[in-house]
Amino acid sequence: GRIVHWTGVGEPPDVADREYVGHHLRHPDSSLYVGEPQQSKTRDGRWFFGVSKARRDEIGAVSQVVVATIDLSVFGDSLGVRFATSGGTLAIASADGLIYARIPDNARHVGKRLPLPPEAAHFPPGTPAGLFATRSPLDERQRVVAFRQLRGTPLYAVGSVDLGRVMAPWYERLGLVILLWLTIAAVVLVFARRLAGAAREHETLAAVDGLTGVLNRRSLLGLAESGERRSERGDALTVLMIDVDHFKAINDRYGHACGDEALRRIAGTLRACCRQSDLVGRYGGEEFLIVLVEREASRVASIAERVRANIAQRPVSMDRRAISMSASVGVACSESAVGQQDI
């Protein structure tokens, strides 16, 4: 352990207790040895580590040990200047977690042994490089860690970055994409609702008589013969046909505007006389149909009479004149409903 030559200043210390010497004495076949970080005896306790190699005589016994000691502050300073990144760390460490240098806070971590993260156990001993995500034991932040062995040494360069910082630009872009899709979805939803509304309006217009607002002939007959309607009435069908008396004379004498108003007035009267379950429609010209869910003859007759009477009691006003109207009502029933002779 006696130093016979060195580049240091002053009297060289005895280094027999240093591992970089003792290792070669205990292992005659040893080659290059990289020692652990330790504090200097001559340089105010500064941290360094030794790299040593034994020289042997003719019979293989250790005659001398050549040692290079490396001040770890050089590593820390060099790493900090060349590789420092915001939110990132870089370290030189042994396989069992002993820190040789680290940025940031090199002085606080050098020489300390950090517990290996559980994810490191997935890599077999001697793995030259790897990548994993873990929670840092130092700051408890989720980090992505990459390591690579320094060639020819048992040391590893270990770098980590804060996962939140790494993903922040992606999260920002993802947020913009989500916002864009939500905007597009909202626009599509608005258009879909408008289209649905337009489709319903179109369907309604296709089913309704434009002048009177009741069902037109096609939709009235279709609904009357629908499967739902058949099930509801139990195959019973009662139909009232209303024909406005002398309607052509109204048109000829008072004009078509008066005739149109008369038809609208009659349609409103028919709706007022019927239940919500009954169908009211314009069959054509001055003819209207009412389809009833009704079996009793007395009930059908009562409805027919009420329709006729209400039409007669509601004249059309035109140029301050009240124009009286009347209508004829015919009734037809299916076989399973009331018989025509009963009406």
Side-chain angles (χ1 to χ4, degrees):
R2 182 175 58 86
I3 294 178
V4 295
H5 179 74
W6 79 322
T7 59
V9 179
E11 187 68 21
D14 185 279
V15 293
D17 60 336
R18 295 301 198 187
E19 184 63 16
Y20 54 75
V21 175
H23 175 82
H24 296 290
L25 298 178
R26 294 192 302 272
H27 301 88
D29 59 345
S30 61
S31 57
L32 188 69
Y33 174 75
V34 178
E36 295 185 354
Q38 50 197 301
Q39 291 181 298
S40 172
K41 296 181 177 180
T42 60
R43 301 187 64 190
D44 299 326
R46 297 183 67 171
W47 285 91
F48 77 98
F49 73 99
V51 180
S52 60
K53 185 177 181 63
R55 300 182 64 182
R56 307 179 188 279
D57 58 20
E58 292 82 359
I59 62 173
V62 176
S63 59
Q64 290 180 325
V65 176
V66 179
V67 182
T69 61
I70 303 174
D71 189 328
L72 287 177
S73 64
V74 175
F75 272 14
D77 294 343
S78 177
L79 293 176
V81 170
R82 298 182 61 186
F83 302 109
T85 59
S86 177
T89 68
L90 186 62
I92 296 175
S94 64
D96 59 357
L98 185 63
I99 302 297
Y100 283 71
R102 183 186 185 275
I103 57 167
D105 304 326
N106 181 64
R108 185 159 63 93
H109 294 100
V110 66
K112 295 182 179 179
R113 196 181 304 274
L114 296 180
L116 296 179
E119 293 81 4
H122 298 300
F123 298 92
T127 301
L131 179 73
F132 59 89
T134 187
R135 188 170 296 278
S136 171
L138 296 177
D139 57 14
E140 293 298 319
R141 298 184 70 86
Q142 194 73 16
R143 290 182 172 273
V144 178
V145 180
F147 67 88
R148 179 178 293 277
Q149 188 173 15
L150 300 177
R151 188 171 57 183
T153 76
L155 301 180
Y156 289 82
V158 184
S160 78
V161 289
D162 187 326
L163 185 60
R165 291 181 181 245
V166 173
M167 299 300 289
W170 186 84
Y171 287 143
E172 183 178 354
R173 288 193 292 270
L174 178 62
L176 292 175
V177 170
I178 292 175
L179 180 61
L180 177 61
W181 277 109
L182 288 176
T183 303
I184 293 174
V187 172
V188 170
L189 181 61
V190 169
F191 276 105
R193 287 179 174 176
R194 289 183 178 178
L195 287 174
R200 287 193 298 269
E201 184 178 356
H202 178 74
E203 184 178 352
T204 301
L205 291 175
V208 172
D209 177 64
L211 175 63
T212 62
V214 296
L215 296 173
N216 59 31
R217 177 174 177 172
R218 179 180 60 83
S219 60
L220 175 68
L221 297 180
L223 288 172
E225 289 301 306
S226 66
E228 294 82 356
R229 197 81 182 171
R230 283 179 179 273
S231 174
E232 182 182 275
R233 67 176 182 260
D235 288 330
L237 182 65
T238 301
V239 179
L240 274 65
M241 174 168 276
I242 299 91
D243 187 8
V244 181
D245 297 332
H246 311 296
F247 182 73
K248 184 176 183 301
I250 294 175
N251 271 337
D252 293 343
R253 184 173 182 179
Y254 300 106
H256 287 282
C258 181
D260 291 346
E261 180 60 28
L263 293 176
R264 283 192 288 267
R265 179 66 60 87
I266 291 172
T269 301
L270 297 182
R271 284 198 298 264
C273 293
C274 294
R275 300 163 299 187
Q276 190 173 5
S277 59
D278 299 331
L279 299 178
V280 178
R282 184 182 180 192
Y283 191 73
E286 69 275 16
E287 297 172 338
F288 293 85
L289 284 182
I290 299 176
V291 180
L292 302 174
V293 180
E294 187 59 61
R295 291 177 177 271
E296 297 183 10
S298 60
R299 173 67 179 163
V300 174
S302 175
I303 294 174
E305 175 57 25
R306 185 167 69 249
V307 167
R308 187 201 63 76
N310 274 268
I311 292 175
Q313 293 169 7
R314 297 186 66 188
V316 177
S317 297
M318 180 61 63
D319 297 329
R320 299 181 180 181
R321 290 179 295 179
I323 303 170
S324 299
M325 296 183 297
S326 63
S328 301
V329 181
V331 180
C333 305
S334 64
E335 292 180 1
S336 58
V338 293
Q340 184 153 351
Q341 67 273 13
D342 299 321
I343 303 296

